[in-house]
Amino acid sequence: MRIAVLTGGGDCPGLNGAIKWVTKTALDPVLEKKRSVKFDVIGIRDGWKGLVEVDPENPESLLRHTLKLDEEIVRTWDRYGGTNLGSSRTNPFNPKKDMSEKLMENIAGLGIDVIVAIGGEDTLGVASKLYRQGIKVVGIPKTIDGDLVGTDYSLGFDSAVNVIMEEIDRLRTTAGSHGRIFVVETMGRHAGWLALHGGECSGAYVILIPEHPFDMQRVCTLLEERRGREIQYSIIVVSEGATMSVHQEFCKDAKVDEFGHRSLGGIAAYIAREIEGKTGFETRYVILSHLQRGGSPSARDRLMARWYGIAAVDMIVNEDFGRMVSFRHGEMTSVPMKDVTDHLNLIDVNKYYDTERYNGKRSIL
Ligand code: F6P
């Protein structure tokens, strides 16, 4: 039985570990004896793009778009961030340029029996559509944004939060030395999880999230309340998707990707300018951007990548297709893929966010 594994969407630490553990578990000789099926594993390069562009009859094209995986090749992959298979935001079901027929042809041409898709809402959305067309698929959740429903953990999130925390720790010394305000912009798209968790674990004074439009004057008032006190500086964490009551999202440009997303970013510069103008506090900003997706995986991402990779193969063995592996209430489980791709996991403001202090709530139970 041929397993094809691919990674789609934004890269992050943890992807390589998941590929490694799908491969190792599928090819495990001890398990192979117990199973009635023998697997081989191919990696598809650059997500759905590779599977659309490959020509199964052409050896050069096969080399460019696929990689036969074995235990030796993936041996050290779990230590490294990014994805050694490459990634893309190609949408084969793009309404403007439907490539799904080619995709179906290539799946058959490559002799693929089952696809393990590692990705977020978009990548798994494609897998879910394929499943409806009769292709066997299994999903592994990945997104630094933490916005995927159906699981309590998606690969990449913990590593990204650690980057935010480490960078803020670094900023504190320079912010303190100069008595400045620092506005730190995180990723996260329409979900504020990265900003909230990153801000909470690094003790940010103000955290602004997309789920609760903020008022610039209130931010300034919060800063003014600290004026003259022993605290000489403040850290504000803002999610790239945060908005003000009167403004829309800040976008880098007018471009839209194949899944219909705009590229968010730039709100930190605006906030820094406003603060300086309104309060006179010297203010700087930092956009953490892709640093949050870089570096090696945290311990949690390595562990979850391993568990998810193993669980994905369990699901294949059990013929449990059309589902995503999931970590729920401390246990490994799985959920139907169609249920995780039609809406996002956003912050419940009433439960987790203090709308007066613009920070994590100080009542949790
Ligand atoms: O979805 C992951 C993410 O990192 C978002 O937080 C961010 O808005 C987007 O991807 C950036 O995408 P790109 O790498 O295409 O600039």
Side-chain angles (χ1 to χ4, degrees), residues 9-12 89 120 122 142-147 186-191 194 240-241 252 257 261-265 289-290 292-293:
D11 75 314
C12 67
R89 294 196 190 277
D122 297 329
K142 172 277 335 178
T143 165
I144 67 160
D145 301 340
D147 60 357
T186 69
M187 282 187 165
R189 259 199 191 126
H190 307 293
L194 275 180
E240 62 179 3
K252 288 187 192 129
D257 75 11
H261 306 297
R262 294 189 63 187
S263 202
L264 300 179
S289 189
H290 293 78
Q292 292 158 101
R293 300 216 311 243

Coordinates of all heavy atoms in Angstrom, one line a residue, residues 9-12 89 120 122 142-147 186-191 194 240-241 252 257 261-265 289-290 292-293, ligand 1:
G9 N 0.6 24.8 3.1 CA 0.4 26.0 3.8 C 1.7 26.6 4.4 O 2.8 26.1 4.0
G10 N 1.6 27.4 5.4 CA 2.8 28.0 6.0 C 3.6 26.9 6.7 O 3.1 26.1 7.4
D11 N 4.9 27.0 6.5 CA 5.8 26.0 7.2 C 5.8 26.3 8.7 O 5.4 27.4 9.1 CB 7.2 26.0 6.6 CG 8.0 27.2 7.1 OD1 7.4 28.3 7.1 OD2 9.1 27.0 7.5
C12 N 6.3 25.3 9.4 CA 6.6 25.6 10.9 C 7.3 24.4 11.5 O 7.4 23.3 10.9 CB 5.2 25.8 11.6 SG 4.3 24.3 11.7
R89 N 1.0 27.2 -1.2 CA -0.4 27.5 -0.9 C -1.2 27.2 -2.1 O -2.2 27.9 -2.3 CB -0.5 28.9 -0.4 CG 0.2 29.2 0.9 CD -0.3 30.5 1.5 NE 0.5 31.0 2.6 CZ 0.3 30.5 3.9 NH1 -0.7 29.7 4.1 NH2 1.0 31.0 4.9
G120 N -3.1 23.0 7.8 CA -4.2 23.7 8.5 C -5.5 23.6 7.7 O -5.7 22.7 6.8
D122 N -6.8 25.1 5.2 CA -6.8 25.1 3.8 C -6.3 23.8 3.2 O -7.0 23.2 2.3 CB -5.8 26.2 3.2 CG -6.3 27.6 3.6 OD1 -7.5 27.8 3.8 OD2 -5.5 28.5 3.8
K142 N -1.8 21.1 11.7 CA -0.6 22.0 11.8 C -1.1 23.5 11.6 O -1.8 23.7 10.6 CB 0.4 21.6 10.7 CG 1.6 22.5 10.4 CD 1.5 23.8 9.6 CE 0.5 23.9 8.5 NZ 0.5 25.2 7.8
T143 N -0.8 24.3 12.4 CA -0.9 25.8 12.2 C -0.4 26.5 13.4 O -0.7 26.2 14.6 CB -2.4 26.2 12.0 OG1 -2.4 27.7 12.1 CG2 -3.4 25.6 12.9
I144 N 0.5 27.5 13.2 CA 1.0 28.3 14.3 C -0.1 29.2 14.8 O -0.1 29.7 15.9 CB 2.2 29.1 14.0 CG1 1.9 30.2 13.0 CG2 3.4 28.3 13.5 CD1 2.9 31.4 13.0
D145 N -1.2 29.4 14.0 CA -2.2 30.3 14.4 C -3.1 29.7 15.5 O -3.8 30.5 16.2 CB -3.1 30.7 13.2 CG -2.3 31.3 12.1 OD1 -1.2 31.8 12.3 OD2 -2.7 31.3 10.9
G146 N -3.1 28.4 15.7 CA -3.9 27.8 16.7 C -5.4 27.9 16.4 O -6.3 27.8 17.3
D147 N -5.8 28.1 15.1 CA -7.2 28.4 14.8 C -7.9 27.2 14.2 O -9.1 27.3 13.8 CB -7.3 29.5 13.8 CG -6.5 29.3 12.5 OD1 -5.9 28.2 12.4 OD2 -6.6 30.1 11.6
T186 N 2.5 40.0 16.3 CA 2.6 38.6 16.1 C 1.8 38.2 14.9 O 1.0 39.0 14.4 CB 2.1 37.8 17.3 OG1 0.6 38.0 17.4 CG2 2.7 38.2 18.6
M187 N 2.0 37.0 14.4 CA 1.1 36.4 13.4 C -0.2 35.9 14.0 O -0.5 36.2 15.1 CB 1.9 35.3 12.6 CG 2.9 35.8 11.6 SD 3.6 34.4 10.7 CE 4.4 35.2 9.4
G188 N -0.9 35.1 13.2 CA -2.1 34.5 13.8 C -3.3 34.7 12.9 O -4.4 34.2 13.2
R189 N -3.2 35.5 11.9 CA -4.4 35.8 11.0 C -5.6 36.3 11.8 O -5.4 37.2 12.6 CB -4.7 34.6 10.2 CG -4.2 34.8 8.8 CD -4.8 33.9 7.8 NE -3.9 34.0 6.6 CZ -3.4 33.0 6.0 NH1 -3.6 31.8 6.3 NH2 -2.6 33.3 4.9
H190 N -6.7 35.7 11.7 CA -7.9 36.2 12.3 C -8.1 35.7 13.8 O -9.0 36.0 14.5 CB -9.2 35.8 11.5 CG -9.1 36.2 10.1 ND1 -9.0 37.5 9.8 CD2 -8.9 35.5 9.0 CE1 -8.9 37.6 8.4 NE2 -8.8 36.4 8.0
A191 N -7.1 34.9 14.2 CA -7.2 34.3 15.6 C -6.1 35.0 16.5 O -4.9 35.1 16.0 CB -7.0 32.8 15.5
L194 N -1.9 33.3 19.3 CA -0.4 33.5 19.4 C -0.2 34.8 20.2 O 0.7 34.8 21.1 CB 0.2 33.7 18.0 CG 0.6 32.5 17.2 CD1 1.2 33.0 15.9 CD2 1.6 31.7 17.9
E240 N -1.5 40.4 14.3 CA -1.5 41.1 13.0 C -3.0 41.3 12.5 O -3.2 42.2 11.7 CB -0.8 40.2 11.9 CG -1.4 38.8 11.7 CD -0.7 38.0 10.7 OE1 0.3 38.4 10.2 OE2 -1.2 36.8 10.5
G241 N -3.9 40.5 13.0 CA -5.3 40.6 12.5 C -6.2 41.5 13.4 O -7.4 41.7 13.2
K252 N -0.7 43.9 4.0 CA 0.5 44.4 3.4 C 0.3 44.9 2.0 O 1.0 45.8 1.5 CB 1.5 43.2 3.3 CG 2.0 42.8 4.7 CD 3.1 41.7 4.5 CE 3.4 41.2 5.9 NZ 3.3 39.7 6.0
D257 N -4.4 35.2 -1.9 CA -3.8 33.9 -2.3 C -4.8 33.0 -2.8 O -6.0 33.4 -2.9 CB -2.9 33.3 -1.1 CG -3.8 32.7 0.0 OD1 -5.0 32.6 -0.2 OD2 -3.2 32.4 1.0
H261 N -7.0 34.4 1.0 CA -6.5 35.1 2.1 C -5.7 36.3 1.7 O -4.8 36.2 0.8 CB -5.6 34.3 3.0 CG -6.2 33.0 3.5 ND1 -7.4 33.0 4.2 CD2 -5.9 31.7 3.2 CE1 -7.7 31.7 4.5 NE2 -6.8 30.9 3.9
R262 N -5.8 37.4 2.4 CA -4.9 38.5 2.2 C -3.7 38.5 3.2 O -3.8 37.8 4.2 CB -5.7 39.9 2.4 CG -6.7 40.0 1.3 CD -7.4 41.3 1.3 NE -6.4 42.4 1.0 CZ -6.7 43.7 1.1 NH1 -7.9 44.1 1.4 NH2 -5.8 44.6 0.8
S263 N -2.6 39.1 2.8 CA -1.5 39.1 3.6 C -1.6 40.2 4.7 O -1.5 41.4 4.4 CB -0.3 39.3 2.7 OG 0.9 38.9 3.3
L264 N -1.7 39.8 6.0 CA -1.9 40.8 7.0 C -0.6 41.3 7.5 O 0.4 40.6 7.4 CB -2.7 40.2 8.2 CG -4.1 39.6 7.8 CD1 -4.7 39.0 9.1 CD2 -5.0 40.7 7.3
G265 N -0.6 42.5 8.1 CA 0.6 43.0 8.8 C 0.7 44.5 8.7 O 0.1 45.1 7.8
S289 N 6.9 38.5 12.6 CA 6.8 37.9 11.2 C 7.2 36.5 11.2 O 6.9 35.7 12.1 CB 7.6 38.8 10.2 OG 7.4 38.4 8.9
H290 N 8.0 36.1 10.2 CA 8.3 34.7 9.9 C 9.3 34.1 10.9 O 9.6 32.9 10.9 CB 8.8 34.5 8.5 CG 7.7 34.7 7.5 ND1 7.3 36.0 7.2 CD2 6.9 33.9 6.9 CE1 6.3 35.9 6.3 NE2 6.0 34.7 6.1
Q292 N 8.6 33.7 13.8 CA 7.7 32.8 14.6 C 7.6 31.4 13.9 O 7.1 30.5 14.6 CB 6.3 33.4 14.7 CG 6.3 34.7 15.5 CD 5.2 35.6 15.2 OE1 4.2 35.6 15.9 NE2 5.2 36.3 14.1
R293 N 7.9 31.3 12.7 CA 7.8 30.0 12.0 C 9.1 29.3 11.9 O 9.2 28.2 11.3 CB 7.1 30.2 10.6 CG 5.7 30.7 10.7 CD 4.8 30.2 9.7 NE 5.3 30.1 8.3 CZ 4.8 30.8 7.3 NH1 3.8 31.6 7.5 NH2 5.4 30.7 6.1
Ligands
F6P1 O1 -1.2 30.7 8.7 C1 0.2 30.9 9.1 C2 0.7 32.2 8.9 O2 2.0 32.3 9.4 C3 -0.2 33.4 9.4 O3 0.0 33.6 10.8 C4 0.3 34.5 8.5 O4 -0.7 35.5 8.4 C5 0.5 33.9 7.2 O5 0.7 32.5 7.5 C6 1.7 34.4 6.5 O6 1.8 33.7 5.3 P1 3.1 33.8 4.3 O7 4.1 32.9 4.8 O8 2.5 33.3 3.0 O9 3.5 35.2 4.2

